[in-house]
Amino acid sequence: MKRDYHHGHLHRALLDAGRKLVAERGVDGFTLREVARQAGVSHAAPYHHFRDKAALIESLAVESFAALEKTLRDAHENSGTSPTERLCTLGLAYVRFALERPAEFTLMNRPELRSGHPERLEQAARAAFEVLIDSIRECQTAGLVVEDAPDSLALVCWSAMHGLAVLLLDGLSSQPANSPEQVESLARLVTGTLLQGLLTR
Amino acid sequence: MKRDYHHGHLHRALLDAGRKLVAERGVDGFTLREVARQAGVSHAAPYHHFRDKAALIESLAVESFAALEKTLRDAHENSGTSPTERLCTLGLAYVRFALERPAEFTLMNRPELRSGHPERLEQAARAAFEVLIDSIRECQTAGLVVEDAPDSLALVCWSAMHGLAVLLLDGLSSQPANSPEQVESLARLVTGTLLQGLLTR
DNA sequence: TGTACATCAGTGAACGCGCGTTCACTGATGTAC
DNA sequence: TGTACATCAGTGAACGCGCGTTCACTGATGTAC
C-alpha cells in the first residue's frame, strides 16, 4: 500500500512519528534515526524536511502549543457561566493536558532541545497564554478580579498550574498523588486557593 | 602541592567539581569524564567512589536539597515578625535559590538523571518541604491561614513558586522578566496573591 | 624499628555504543517544447 | 503523445564523536607481628 520511493507526505509523517515516539520513549529516547525508522524511511531522509534534529523538535513543540491553545479554548468555552468558574476550568485543563502527555509536555518546555530561532515557538506559546489573559480580563470586566495588569495575573496563574504539573510529573510531590482523582483534587485546591487571592475585596 | 597518587578526599573533590561543572556547562555539559578531569584525576577514578554517573548526580542533588533546606530555614528565621510575612519570605527565597543556580536547580528536578534508589533524595527533598509545612502551621496556629491540611497547602505554595522559577528559567514567561528587580516583583506578586487566597476569612 | 602482606585508590588502554550528520548517488516526478 | 531535462526526495555507506564503563595493572597505605 505504501508508495515506493517518494513518500508524498513525509514532513507530516515525521511529525506524527515524532509525536508518537516521544510519547512512547520519552524525551531521552527520542532520536532522529528512530523517527525515520518509524516513518518507514531511511535515516537521512528527514534532512530534506528539517534542517536538523532540533528543528524537528521545534516544529513538534510548536504544534504542541497549538494543541494546548485549542484545549484551553475549548475548556474555556464549554465551561460554567461565571467568569471565575471558567478561569478555574482553564487551570484544570492545563494540568490535565500536561499529565495526559507527560513527555510531550516536557519536550515543550525544554528550550535547550530546540534550535536557535525561537520566534515560531514563542508565538505559539504566547497564543496559548493569551487564552489565559483573556479569561482574566473577562473576570476583571465582571468586577470579580482585582485590577492588576492582566498579563501579570495570568503569569501568576500559569506559574501555579505549571508548577503543579511539573511537580507531579517529576514525582517530587511527596504526596501520594498518582490517581487521577487525587490529581484532580490537588489541581482544584491550587486553582481555588489562587482564585481566592485574585478576587476583589 | 598535590598529593601524588592517593588523593585523600576524592569523594568530596568529585562532588565539588561536579557542582562547579554543572554551574559552568549546564546539565547537558555534565560528563563524568569532565568531572574527573577537573578533579585532576583519571576518568576511571570516580568509579571507586560512585557506582556510576547517576549515583554521582544523585549525591549532588541530595546536597543541593540540603542547601535549599538551609536557605529556606535561614530565610524563615531571619525574616519579619508576622507568620504570614515569614511565609512569603520563604517563597521569595525559593525563587532566588533557583535563579542563582539555574543548572543546579534543574539537575535537582530531573529524576531521569538519577539512579533508581531514590530514598535519600526523597528524604532530602522532604526535609526542605517540611520547612514550608512548618511555616504554614505557624500561620494556622496564629489563626491567619485557613485550616486545610498543612501539607496540601504547602504543596499549593510550592507549586506556585516552583512554577514561577521554572518558567523564568526556561525563558517562557514571554515577560521581560530578566532583571533581578523584575523577577523579585513577580515573585512578590505570586506570593502575595497566593497568600490572599490562604488567609482566613 | 622492620618486614610481610592485605587492602585500597589510583592509572591508562580498550570496548562498544548509537547517535547526528554528510556525501555521492539514483530513482521518480513534472514541465517545456 | 513523446522526448529531454531540471528538480526533487529518497538511499545507503561512511565519518567522527565523546561518552560511560570495564579491565588488568600498580603504586601507596596501614596493620600485624
Side-chain angles (χ1 to χ4, degrees):
Chain A
M1 186 50 54
K2 104 187 200 201
R3 252 182 234 77
D4 31 11
Y5 219 70
H6 277 199
H7 185 287
H9 309 285
L10 187 50
H11 186 92
R12 185 93 293 278
L14 289 169
L15 287 168
D16 293 342
R19 193 170 319 284
K20 221 179 123 209
L21 181 62
V22 81
E24 284 167 3
R25 313 228 186 140
V27 169
D28 295 327
F30 183 92
T31 69
L32 241 202
R33 291 176 97 108
E34 186 60 30
V35 172
R37 233 167 267 143
Q38 301 223 1
V41 107
S42 84
H43 60 259
Y47 287 88
H48 285 281
H49 299 273
F50 298 94
R51 185 207 303 272
D52 54 20
K53 186 188 180 188
L56 171 56
I57 289 182
E58 185 181 299
S59 288
L60 276 174
V62 168
E63 288 194 350
S64 295
F65 271 107
L68 172 60
E69 183 195 347
K70 182 165 175 6
T71 297
L72 295 181
R73 275 195 201 289
D74 289 353
H76 194 251
E77 281 168 17
N78 303 328
S79 65
T81 47
S82 111
T84 50
E85 210 173 302
R86 287 142 73 83
L87 178 57
C88 284
T89 303
L90 227 43
L92 295 185
Y94 187 84
V95 174
R96 279 197 211 109
F97 181 92
L99 294 185
E100 274 166 14
R101 346 136 89 110
E104 188 178 341
F105 183 76
T106 299
L107 183 139
M108 292 165 70
N109 293 293
R110 288 267 177 97
E112 75 275 16
L113 299 175
R114 302 191 295 254
S115 46
H117 295 290
E119 296 83 15
R120 282 168 62 223
L121 199 282
E122 275 173 9
Q123 196 183 333
R126 177 76 198 177
F129 190 56
E130 299 280 2
V131 182
L132 182 50
I133 298 181
D134 289 346
S135 178
I136 285 187
R137 280 217 189 82
E138 224 178 276
C139 295
Q140 289 178 324
T141 303
L144 297 170
V145 156
V146 293
E147 286 289 343
D148 285 320
D151 50 355
S152 293
L153 295 185
L155 185 56
V156 172
C157 294
W158 190 18
S159 291
M161 304 322 295
H162 189 70
L164 179 59
V166 168
L167 289 178
L168 290 173
L169 289 180
D170 288 349
L172 277 183
S173 75
S174 297
Q175 288 270 38
N178 300 318
S179 84
E181 296 79 23
Q182 286 165 317
V183 168
E184 198 78 12
S185 85
L186 271 176
R188 281 183 199 285
L189 183 61
V190 173
T191 52
T193 306
L194 203 61
L195 179 63
Q196 281 297 336
L198 292 170
L199 292 179
T200 48
R201 273 168 283 277
Chain B
M1 187 50 55
K2 101 186 200 205
R3 254 183 232 76
D4 30 12
Y5 219 70
H6 277 199
H7 185 287
H9 308 284
L10 188 51
H11 186 91
R12 186 93 291 276
L14 289 169
L15 287 168
D16 293 342
R19 193 170 317 285
K20 222 179 123 208
L21 181 61
V22 80
E24 283 167 4
R25 313 227 185 141
V27 169
D28 295 327
F30 184 92
T31 70
L32 241 202
R33 292 176 97 108
E34 186 60 30
V35 172
R37 233 167 266 143
Q38 301 223 0
V41 108
S42 85
H43 60 259
Y47 287 87
H48 285 281
H49 300 272
F50 298 94
R51 185 208 303 271
D52 54 19
K53 186 188 180 187
L56 171 56
I57 289 181
E58 185 180 298
S59 288
L60 276 174
V62 168
E63 289 194 351
S64 295
F65 271 107
L68 172 60
E69 183 194 348
K70 181 165 175 5
T71 297
L72 294 182
R73 276 195 199 290
D74 288 353
H76 194 251
E77 281 167 16
N78 303 326
S79 65
T81 47
S82 112
T84 49
E85 210 172 303
R86 286 141 74 83
L87 179 57
C88 284
T89 303
L90 227 42
L92 295 186
Y94 187 84
V95 174
R96 279 196 210 109
F97 181 92
L99 294 184
E100 273 166 15
R101 357 147 66 122
E104 188 178 341
F105 182 77
T106 299
L107 183 139
M108 292 164 70
N109 294 293
R110 288 268 177 96
E112 74 274 16
L113 299 175
R114 302 191 295 254
S115 45
H117 295 290
E119 297 84 15
R120 281 168 61 223
L121 199 280
E122 274 172 10
Q123 197 184 332
R126 178 75 198 176
F129 189 58
E130 298 282 2
V131 182
L132 181 50
I133 297 181
D134 289 346
S135 178
I136 285 187
R137 282 217 188 82
E138 224 179 276
C139 294
Q140 289 177 324
T141 302
L144 297 170
V145 155
V146 294
E147 286 289 342
D148 285 320
D151 51 354
S152 292
L153 295 185
L155 185 56
V156 172
C157 294
W158 190 18
S159 290
M161 303 323 294
H162 189 70
L164 179 60
V166 168
L167 288 177
L168 290 173
L169 289 180
D170 288 349
L172 278 183
S173 77
S174 296
Q175 288 269 36
N178 300 319
S179 84
E181 295 79 23
Q182 285 165 317
V183 168
E184 198 78 12
S185 84
L186 271 176
R188 281 182 199 285
L189 182 61
V190 174
T191 52
T193 306
L194 204 60
L195 179 62
Q196 280 297 335
L198 291 170
L199 292 179
T200 49
R201 273 168 284 278

